[in-house]
Amino acid sequence: MAMLEEFKKFAMRGNVVDLAVGVIIGGAFGRIVDSLVQDVIMPPIGKLFGGLDFANYYIPLNHQAYNLPLAEAKKAGAVLAYGNFLTILLNFILLAFVIFQMVRLINRLRGPAEAAAAKPAPTPEDILLLREIRDSLKNDKRDPKDAL
């Protein structure tokens, strides 16, 4: 029974719940970016490259015909699907850029007050040591040229 209580305490910690929410939102956001890339961005790029679906660009490795759709070419043998890879790569770049912009915006909204609060305050020992150094320098009446 103690282990069950300990697990419940662990699972209900803020970090675990925040992580779960982040994973769920990230999955949904990933599908939105997938749709953006595949349905909005890639069709004009495909049109620019001859009107074909960019995701269907491939190099046949088993002497398949070049004019087959990617799914049929894969059934006929191995293919190097560089168009699909480029689509997924563009999807990743867009997703990373959007997340970067979101984090940047959140950091700006937090403001400098939280950044200043994140700095640790000097401990009383540090302050005492700095005061001793200051007093020692004040009491030292030597000529600075003698130190050289």
Side-chain angles (χ1 to χ4, degrees), residues 4 14 17 20-21 38 44 47 55 67-68 75 96 98 102 112 120 127 134 138 141 146 148:
L4 186 60
V17 174
V21 169
Q38 292 177 9
K47 180 83 170 159
N67 59 355
L68 294 174
K75 287 179 186 174
V98 169
M102 287 173 48
I127 294 171
R134 181 197 63 201
K138 279 183 182 178
K141 301 292 185 191
D146 292 338
L148 298 174

Side-chain angles (χ1 to χ4, degrees), residues 66-123:
Y66 278 94
N67 59 355
L68 294 174
L70 180 61
E72 290 181 26
K74 282 184 176 181
K75 287 179 186 174
V79 296
L80 183 66
Y82 67 91
N84 191 36
F85 173 75
L86 291 176
T87 301
I88 291 171
L89 181 65
L90 181 62
N91 188 351
F92 171 76
I93 291 169
L94 284 173
L95 181 63
F97 180 74
V98 169
I99 290 174
F100 167 73
Q101 292 299 329
M102 287 173 48
V103 169
R104 194 169 164 220
L105 177 68
I106 289 170
N107 286 340
R108 281 188 184 169
L109 292 176
R110 285 184 180 166
E114 285 188 23
K119 284 186 179 179
T123 64

